[in-house]
Amino acid sequence: MKKVACDERPGWRSYAESVGFEFHTFDGEPYWDETGYYQFNLRQIEQDLEEPTEELHQMALSLVEDVVRDEEKLQQLAIPEKFWDFVADSWRTKAPSLYGRLDLVYDGSGPAKLLELNYDTPTSLFETGFFQWVWLEDQLMRGKVPQGADQFNSLQDQLEAAFANLPLANPLYFASVANSIEDKGTVMYLMDIARQAGVDSRFIELEQLGEASGQLVDLEGYAIGGLFKLYPWEFMLQEDFASVILSSQTQWLEPGWKMLLSNKGILPLLWQKYRGHPNLLESHFEQPGQSFGAGWVRKPLFSREGANVELILPNGEKVTEPGPYADSPFIRQKLQPLPKFGDSYTMIGSWVVGNSAAGIGIREDNSLITKDSSRFLPHIILD
Amino acid sequence: MKQKVLKRSKKAALVLMVPTATFLMAGCGQEEAVQTAAFETVDQCAAYYNPEQCKADLGQALAMHAQVAPKYTDKAACETDFGVGQCETQAQAAAAAGTEQVPQQAQASSGGFFMPMMMGFLAGQMLNRSGSQLKQPVQAQPLYKSRDDRSTFRTATNTPVAKGVGTAYVKPSSVQPKPAGVVNRGGFGAQAQKRSSSASSFGG
């Protein structure tokens, strides 16, 4: 694994905008960054990333059954009691799930370590599945990357197959919050793939969802049979329509049981069940008054994009990221600093579609905490 | 020669996100009517179709009845539209949902909303004999009759579908069931508002 400098494609920004990738630049800072790429060999991809991704995924799934039948664990994950049956039913009826992303620390050798599971609302999907794929095809054509270069990225193929084969409602609605172009971009991409798989996909702003006679309805008042929502379950459970989740017959993507796996509390539960597993970092629920000292990371149960994460480096120095998620319990995870390539700290997002590993997307940041604004860089496989 | 197995997608194409897609999508043809049928009882239906499916369709229509039937706050207003003695309360409709016959006369009692009694049911997509999978299937659903036209079966949204029992041709979009009653909106998204000062995305 190494980082290689590379010429940008001329005019890539206007191309990005023409395919709806309007957030390629964020507050004047690059988000999509093709001034370089990461290069892996096939063994690194298959043995160090692909296989552990599928194994970690199976370990996570094995915990769902443990949690839904254990009130103490449901409480540790701060799942409101009112929704315990909803979550358990979604698991027992095998409510289908589309995708997830594992965030990994990996530097090219040794076991990749799991930082967290983004199993409810994972993003950077379009960047991974489409834009970096097109980047490789373009750069191969221009001779800017070595001939024969490949990419660990079957994301779009696998998503299309999932939309075609999963028992999903049709039409299927897709919702994201009104004022996030990034979330809308992710949702539009999923709708596009769903459409290619023959699903009648329809967009509705999350705030426009309606309720009538206990059913979730669209703008014209028709019942919504299936809804993909790019919006955290833990938010929905607190909002005015929380009771509609229980009364409606809507099929949810991601399904209710995914709220257990997107919860940071799953990290200590994984450690309890698979203590010492080479791809896991030691993790614990934080107890009041407990002191962990240096070399630990503090994360809220519910948080997105690195928000409210605090690192205490071995020398006692603190790295913190402020955010809006301070209102939940915290866990502690053993610090495994991200590897540094040049001036950047690099993290690997590894995708799962169904139960298969489906590719990676790479994020870089100037700090040890990867966040919303962290740059996305493409990668190649070369043997 | 052995083909090298690639680790990347065979294709990554977009159909909706590219500007030309609007032209491709605009050419939708006119919707065709499909064959379905209206019945009052499972026995009537069984003369045409599979009795098990008839039972299932009536069951679905009964279950849907309380949700989709037009709602009135007073009985007189309901009877103006559907006829004297033709309206019931939601509680009565719910109680009838367990039976396998379309409920006949039932006295409307006080409390809750009033709604017309279910007079029949529209058979669902499974009864379509063309054999081809419909893009927008016809759902089994309850049917009603208005005060001034006792022969025509109408959907809950007042679309006439059949003159009496038997085969009918309908456009699927015209008979899509719709929950009736007050629609509330804005029940999701409050947390995003509250936390938006520092987040531009609610994915992660």
Side-chain angles (χ1 to χ4, degrees):
Chain A
M1 177 182 178
K2 63 177 178 178
K3 189 175 172 184
V4 182
C6 187
D7 291 339
E8 296 179 84
R9 293 165 295 167
W12 70 262
R13 285 177 186 78
S14 40
Y15 170 67
E17 283 150 28
S18 79
V19 291
F21 187 16
E22 287 157 35
F23 50 102
H24 61 74
T25 304
F26 236 66
D27 294 336
E29 297 290 322
Y31 167 59
W32 172 263
D33 181 356
E34 59 177 73
T35 60
Y37 61 83
Y38 283 82
Q39 178 179 323
F40 298 82
N41 63 41
L42 192 60
R43 188 196 56 77
Q44 290 171 327
I45 291 292
E46 292 186 333
Q47 288 178 27
D48 294 350
L49 296 173
E50 186 174 25
E51 285 172 20
T53 292
E54 293 186 353
E55 187 180 349
L56 287 165
H57 175 72
Q58 289 302 328
M59 288 157 63
L61 290 183
S62 82
L63 274 176
V64 178
E65 184 65 33
D66 299 352
V67 175
V68 294
R69 60 168 79 205
D70 186 335
E71 293 188 2
E72 191 192 335
K73 290 194 169 75
L74 286 161
Q75 270 157 0
Q76 281 180 312
L77 298 184
I79 307 296
E81 190 172 345
K82 199 177 155 191
F83 294 94
W84 288 358
D85 286 344
F86 169 75
V87 172
D89 287 347
S90 77
W91 176 248
R92 285 176 191 142
T93 58
K94 300 186 163 55
S97 146
L98 191 61
Y99 72 153
R101 197 192 71 233
L102 300 82
D103 286 343
L104 303 173
V105 188
Y106 180 65
D107 65 0
S109 64
K113 299 282 188 185
L114 176 68
L115 287 178
E116 58 194 54
L117 300 170
N118 293 279
Y119 265 34
D120 179 18
T121 61
T123 56
S124 77
L125 188 76
F126 176 83
E127 301 86 301
T128 306
F130 184 77
F131 211 71
Q132 80 166 342
W133 188 95
V134 172
W135 169 86
L136 177 61
E137 297 287 324
D138 283 354
Q139 297 294 51
L140 280 169
M141 196 177 65
R142 287 165 211 272
K144 295 287 183 187
V145 297
Q147 288 308 304
D150 195 7
Q151 195 171 71
F152 181 30
N153 181 15
S154 56
L155 194 52
Q156 183 163 338
D157 275 359
Q158 293 211 41
L159 285 169
E160 188 175 333
F163 277 120
N165 299 325
L166 288 175
L168 299 175
N170 196 4
L172 185 61
Y173 289 76
F174 291 75
S176 63
V177 296
N179 52 18
S180 169
I181 59 160
E182 186 188 337
D183 290 357
K184 176 112 186 249
T186 299
V187 159
M188 291 305 288
Y189 179 52
L190 277 169
M191 287 176 65
D192 200 304
I193 300 170
R195 178 67 63 95
Q196 294 182 55
V199 176
D200 178 358
S201 49
R202 303 178 183 183
F203 181 76
I204 183 167
E205 283 179 359
L206 186 94
E207 294 86 345
Q208 293 295 321
L209 288 167
E211 176 272 331
S213 308
Q215 297 301 318
L216 205 62
V217 299
D218 70 6
L219 284 173
E220 290 166 22
Y222 291 114
I224 292 180
L227 179 69
F228 173 92
K229 45 103 213 143
L230 193 62
Y231 194 66
W233 269 117
E234 67 269 17
F235 286 5
M236 294 171 56
L237 302 190
Q238 296 177 46
E239 297 184 344
D240 289 350
F241 278 2
S243 62
V244 184
I245 295 166
L246 301 177
S247 63
S248 80
Q249 274 139 34
T250 301
Q251 176 190 51
W252 299 93
L253 278 180
E254 292 295 297
W257 55 268
K258 280 303 212 50
M259 74 176 83
L260 306 180
L261 300 182
S262 62
N263 187 304
K264 303 290 187 296
I266 208 69
L267 298 166
L269 293 181
L270 275 170
W271 183 254
Q272 287 168 21
K273 187 165 180 175
Y274 299 100
R275 177 182 297 268
H277 188 283
N279 299 113
L280 292 180
L281 293 167
E282 182 178 351
S283 301
H284 302 281
F285 288 101
E286 191 177 271
Q287 308 297 338
Q290 194 180 5
S291 170
F292 277 87
W296 288 88
V297 181
R298 186 171 191 249
K299 297 177 173 184
L301 288 189
F302 305 114
S303 144
R304 297 284 190 286
E305 310 274 19
N308 301 91
V309 168
E310 180 177 286
L311 267 62
I312 302 141
L313 302 180
N315 64 8
E317 190 192 329
K318 279 187 183 178
V319 182
T320 59
E321 182 61 27
Y325 298 99
D327 53 350
S328 72
F330 285 78
I331 63 133
R332 296 282 184 144
Q333 184 181 52
K334 194 89 186 158
L335 175 68
Q336 172 86 16
L338 292 170
K340 209 170 179 185
F341 290 84
D343 293 329
S344 299
Y345 297 97
T346 302
M347 191 190 77
I348 295 176
S350 183
W351 290 89
V352 168
V353 175
N355 295 322
S356 303
I360 55 171
I362 294 172
R363 304 291 293 271
E364 271 192 354
D365 203 276
N366 301 331
S367 96
L368 275 166
I369 301 177
T370 308
K371 40 195 168 284
D372 196 25
S373 57
S374 303
R375 296 175 299 278
F376 188 106
L377 279 87
H379 78 275
I380 68 168
I381 309 171
L382 195 68
D383 252 353
Chain B
M1 200 172 86
K2 200 177 158 202
Q3 179 89 33
K4 190 183 167 198
V5 179
L6 294 180
K7 305 292 285 183
R8 67 182 188 274
S9 296
K10 288 181 191 64
K11 72 168 172 91
L14 301 175
V15 295
L16 298 176
M17 298 179 81
V18 288
T20 50
T22 33
F23 298 104
L24 294 172
M25 303 310 295
C28 296
Q30 223 178 349
E31 188 186 9
E32 282 185 32
V34 300
Q35 186 193 319
T36 173
F39 302 109
E40 288 163 338
T41 65
V42 169
D43 285 347
Q44 288 172 354
C45 176
Y48 288 70
Y49 302 120
N50 175 343
E52 285 310 307
Q53 190 58 44
C54 290
K55 272 188 200 169
D57 280 4
L58 174 58
Q60 183 179 336
L62 282 165
M64 207 183 268
H65 170 49
Q67 278 185 19
V68 302
K71 307 290 192 302
Y72 295 83
T73 46
D74 74 285
K75 191 178 171 185
C78 181
E79 291 187 336
T80 302
D81 286 351
F82 294 94
V84 174
Q86 301 298 322
C87 292
E88 62 185 351
T89 61
Q90 269 180 300
Q92 287 167 327
T99 71
E100 290 197 348
Q101 290 286 312
V102 175
Q104 294 301 311
Q105 304 292 323
Q107 282 294 319
S109 64
S110 60
F113 290 99
F114 290 88
M115 48 201 243
M117 289 176 191
M118 176 170 146
M119 304 306 290
F121 66 98
L122 187 70
Q125 176 205 13
M126 299 300 283
L127 302 184
N128 179 40
R129 284 174 160 172
S130 72
S132 64
Q133 181 80 14
L134 297 172
K135 267 196 182 143
Q136 189 180 22
V138 171
Q139 277 195 55
Q141 58 190 283
L143 296 173
Y144 305 91
K145 287 179 179 174
S146 69
R147 182 178 62 93
D148 52 6
D149 180 3
R150 300 304 295 169
S151 61
T152 304
F153 285 111
R154 295 164 185 275
T155 66
T157 51
N158 201 26
T159 303
V161 290
K163 288 269 179 200
V165 167
T167 305
Y169 289 86
V170 299
K171 290 187 176 178
S173 69
S174 70
V175 295
Q176 211 188 327
K178 199 169 181 173
V182 186
V183 177
N184 301 304
R185 293 197 190 276
F188 284 132
Q191 292 290 320
Q193 287 281 316
K194 227 163 92 180
R195 298 169 197 252
S196 65
S197 58
S198 50
S200 63
S201 162
F202 295 93

